[in-house]
Amino acid sequence: MTDPVKFKCASVVGVGLIGSSLARAMREAGLVDDIVGVDRDPDVIARAQKLSVIDRGETDLAKGVKGADLIILSTPVGAIGGVATELGDTADDGALIIDVGSVKGVAVEAASRMPERVCFVPCHPVAGTEQSGPEAGFASLFKDRWCILTPAPREDAAYKAAIDKAAALWSAVGAKVEIMTSEHHDLALAVTSHLPHLIAFTIVGAADDVESVAAGEIVKYSAGGFRDFTRIAASDPVMWRDVFLNNKEAVLEVLGRFSEELAVMQRAIRWDDGKTLEDAFSRVRGLRRAIVEAGQETAAPNFGRDEKAES
Ligand code: NAP
């Protein structure tokens, strides 16, 4: 049996949805004695403190990580490189640094540049909502969700121990841990998360353009399918800007494939090719069943929401 993971002081840099959820989950599981919130916005710190998510707060990074044996980078992806560079000089010796960013190439690059006296293990909890800020977080967010670790290419014993410690931390807050390369992660997530978000932003944007022609009707007649897209498209603009700018290659690759598939559908509709449409729709239904069987989603109609099912 391994020792239970425990930290004296955790600094959460970026006290938003994910940072505040991890702070809450760690506190609930008794994994940490003291939690410091570090955010550039003093109002966010005040709100997080009022919610008892953090014990104290700092707007200055160096002051906020002093004495921390765990540093959690939960800022948007675009800020991770700069914050990590600063931590290379300011973090305590032996500190474990993890991030939670949705793109991992940029985190591995930053982790590879760190001095050996600290260990940065890039992580991505595949769990979230379309909400932001400390009020949106909750302790059970990571329960039964995957957390993917993409370690830097470091072979020393301290780094190996840090990977084990990061994995133990995620397990202790209820997540299932998987280790892979950042390249594999960024391609897989481009398919399962980044492209669907791009499509949702585009569909809702296109509908908004039409809305000016048919005033009020899109809101009035919005069916379940469209409403699901609006939920995804309500996600934080800064977070998603950073995801696309930092996972350019993989997103452009899967977007190219998607465009080809869309052209096939367009052609089938134009030429009354019902067989191509039915075959394509039948093939993808199986994937929904597989996701439900893997416990990633409910089989209840309308995603189990307590409202009238609509097409
Ligand atoms: P969020 O609720 O917007 O929180 C991010 C916080 O970081 C904000 O308070 C922001 O302050 C602060 N911040 C930005 N730059 C900073 C800096 N340089 N130093 C200190 N604080 C800084 O975002 P989130 O949804 O928790 O996302 C955080 C990370 O988790 C992102 O990397 C995202 O890719 C990843 N992630 C998100 C989800 C999801 O579903 N949302 C799921 C998995 C992983 P300002 O508001 O002042 O900018």
Side-chain angles (χ1 to χ4, degrees):
M1 239 204 39
T2 48
D3 289 339
V5 65
K6 178 91 195 184
F7 299 93
K8 265 194 332 308
C9 174
S11 287
V12 181
V13 184
V15 196
L17 166 72
I18 304 294
S20 77
S21 293
L22 189 51
R24 284 174 168 99
M26 287 185 69
R27 206 192 289 281
E28 199 174 281
L31 307 183
V32 62
D33 295 331
D34 186 27
I35 303 180
V36 185
V38 184
D39 204 287
R40 57 186 186 179
D41 183 352
D43 181 54
V44 168
I45 292 175
R47 280 154 45 207
Q49 212 161 355
K50 198 161 167 220
L51 291 161
S52 301
V53 167
I54 56 174
D55 297 301
R56 52 203 167 89
E58 272 293 347
T59 49
D60 181 86
L61 181 67
K63 285 187 193 153
V65 299
K66 197 167 166 37
D69 51 351
L70 173 67
I71 302 171
I72 300 162
L73 305 188
S74 37
T75 65
V77 167
I80 288 172
V83 173
T85 302
E86 227 181 305
L87 290 179
D89 296 327
T90 52
D92 278 16
D93 285 351
L96 169 63
I97 301 169
I98 62 170
D99 79 314
V100 297
S102 308
V103 181
K104 297 280 42 101
V106 63
V108 168
E109 204 258 314
S112 309
R113 285 191 272 112
M114 298 304 273
E116 280 214 358
R117 58 180 198 81
V118 291
C119 294
F120 178 178
V121 180
C123 306
H124 177 207
V126 187
T129 74
E130 70 281 14
Q131 320 249 314
S132 314
E135 292 80 7
F138 52 100
S140 60
L141 178 63
F142 310 108
K143 197 167 178 325
D144 297 328
R145 313 311 302 187
W146 286 102
C147 182
I148 300 171
L149 273 51
T150 62
R154 257 179 78 167
E155 296 297 330
D156 54 296
Y159 195 71
K160 286 189 174 150
I163 297 170
D164 290 345
K165 205 165 180 185
L169 160 60
W170 287 109
S171 299
V173 295
K176 302 177 282 186
V177 175
E178 182 101 27
I179 296 184
M180 62 179 71
T181 65
S182 60
E183 291 81 5
H184 189 82
H185 170 279
D186 288 354
L187 184 59
L189 270 291
V191 175
T192 60
S193 171
H194 307 169
L195 182 65
H197 274 82
L198 193 65
I199 292 169
F201 288 128
T202 311
I203 285 181
V204 176
D208 196 43
D209 291 345
V210 179
E211 174 75 0
S212 57
V213 179
E217 302 222 308
I218 285 166
V219 172
K220 187 167 152 194
Y221 299 129
S222 70
F226 182 71
R227 288 206 313 268
D228 289 335
F229 278 119
T230 62
R231 182 190 63 74
I232 299 170
S235 301
D236 189 71
V238 173
M239 170 191 157
W240 283 99
R241 175 202 67 192
D242 283 6
V243 167
F244 293 118
L245 294 182
N246 287 280
N247 198 20
K248 217 182 237 188
E249 255 175 53
V251 170
L252 291 177
E253 163 68 24
V254 297
L255 192 57
R257 291 186 196 204
F258 172 76
S259 304
E260 285 170 21
E261 294 290 324
L262 197 60
V264 170
M265 296 292 164
Q266 194 177 15
R267 191 180 157 80
I269 293 169
R270 186 182 306 283
W271 296 103
D272 295 319
D273 181 358
K275 184 173 181 329
T276 295
L277 293 175
E278 198 179 331
D279 286 353
F281 300 158
S282 304
R283 185 163 57 87
V284 297
R285 262 188 122 182
L287 190 57
R288 170 80 194 159
R289 269 196 297 275
I291 290 170
V292 170
E293 276 162 25
Q296 295 283 94
E297 180 63 277
T298 171
N302 203 21
F303 307 101
R305 283 182 208 138
D306 191 16
E307 55 185 89
K308 266 189 256 167
E310 291 175 57
S311 60

